[in-house]
Amino acid sequence: MRELQAARRAPLNPSPPADATGPDPDGVGTDETGSQGPDPAGVAAPVEHRLRLWPLFCSIALLGLALDVVTKVFAVQKLEPDVPVPFIGRLVTLHLIRNPGAAFSQGEGFTWVFAVAAVLVLAFVLVRLVPKLGHVGWAVALGLLVAGVSGNLADRLFREPGPFRGHVVDFLQLPHWPIFNVADMCITTAAVMVVVLSLLRNVGIDGRRPGADADRAASPDAPTSA
């Protein structure tokens, strides 16, 4: 009789024990403390995308730096200082000079200041910006920026008259334009790309569009949580 009475009082749908494990019907995993968290696959996707952009950034930076170094070595070996040599008609002239200033011969007399600034810029880009890369355009822009800054910094560190005082090799000249080098071209192109990406296209370094995300969140068709 006692066993029959106990059977009648038993619930028809017994709940599983608290420590039972099994697939989560909502697709949300739980940790050891029982708290729910996001699916790891949702976090791994953007991280994997960023990892794929790092080789592109490194390739652009190394290729730009190598091209700058090779062309400067060629200019120093083949060109006479202050002797213009027509290269592409009247459009491009090879004109070797030694520049103690910044890009396009600006700021002469402050060589060591530009050298220190270049070191700080490189550190900021490599430590703070590159780990956030999430967009192809930004990977190219930062790669060009690192290539240009590194190319001119190498001249200031290793060329005469001494470390942090070395003169940058410039040898490319356009009509009505200051003499420049490949590193200056990389820096200028990077600056244009940064303006286009950040101001005109409103794309962050991580690939997000802040304005578009805000509009999507404010849309009446946007899903709301209960």
Side-chain angles (χ1 to χ4, degrees), residues 6-223:
R8 290 178 179 177
R9 296 176 181 175
L12 295 178
N13 296 321
S15 59
D19 58 347
T21 60
D24 188 350
D26 295 332
V28 180
T30 58
D31 56 17
E32 294 180 356
T33 61
S35 60
Q36 293 184 341
D39 186 359
V43 179
V47 173
E48 182 180 355
H49 179 63
R50 293 178 182 178
L51 292 177
R52 288 199 301 266
L53 292 177
W54 291 353
L56 174 61
F57 161 79
C58 293
S59 299
I60 296 294
L62 293 176
L63 180 62
L65 177 59
L67 184 61
D68 179 67
V69 171
V70 170
T71 53
K72 286 176 178 176
V73 170
F74 172 83
V76 170
Q77 293 180 350
K78 302 296 183 180
L79 300 177
E80 293 292 334
D82 295 322
V83 178
V85 177
F87 182 58
I88 303 179
R90 296 182 179 180
L91 179 61
V92 180
T93 301
L94 302 181
H95 188 174
L96 177 63
I97 64 171
R98 303 296 180 119
N99 174 22
F104 304 114
S105 302
Q106 300 298 314
E108 297 183 6
F110 297 92
T111 305
W112 69 271
V113 176
F114 294 119
V116 173
V119 173
L120 295 178
V121 168
L122 285 177
F124 178 78
V125 171
L126 296 176
V127 175
R128 298 297 300 274
L129 299 185
V130 173
K132 299 179 181 179
L133 277 177
H135 190 273
V136 173
W138 277 103
V140 175
L142 293 184
L144 289 172
L145 179 60
V146 169
V149 174
S150 300
N152 286 338
L153 177 61
D155 284 357
R156 294 189 176 100
L157 293 178
F158 301 112
R159 293 190 183 275
E160 296 294 336
F164 286 91
R165 296 180 294 113
H167 293 179
V168 175
V169 174
D170 289 335
F171 62 95
L172 296 172
Q173 185 175 23
L174 298 175
H176 311 292
W177 197 259
I179 303 175
F180 58 97
N181 56 37
V182 174
D184 297 332
M185 295 170 57
C186 293
I187 294 174
T188 304
T189 304
V192 173
M193 293 187 66
V194 168
V195 171
V196 172
L197 290 170
S198 59
L199 299 182
L200 301 183
R201 299 191 60 184
N202 195 28
V203 179
I205 295 178
D206 57 0
R208 299 179 181 179
R209 300 174 182 266
D213 294 341
D215 294 341
R216 190 180 301 110
S219 174
D221 298 332

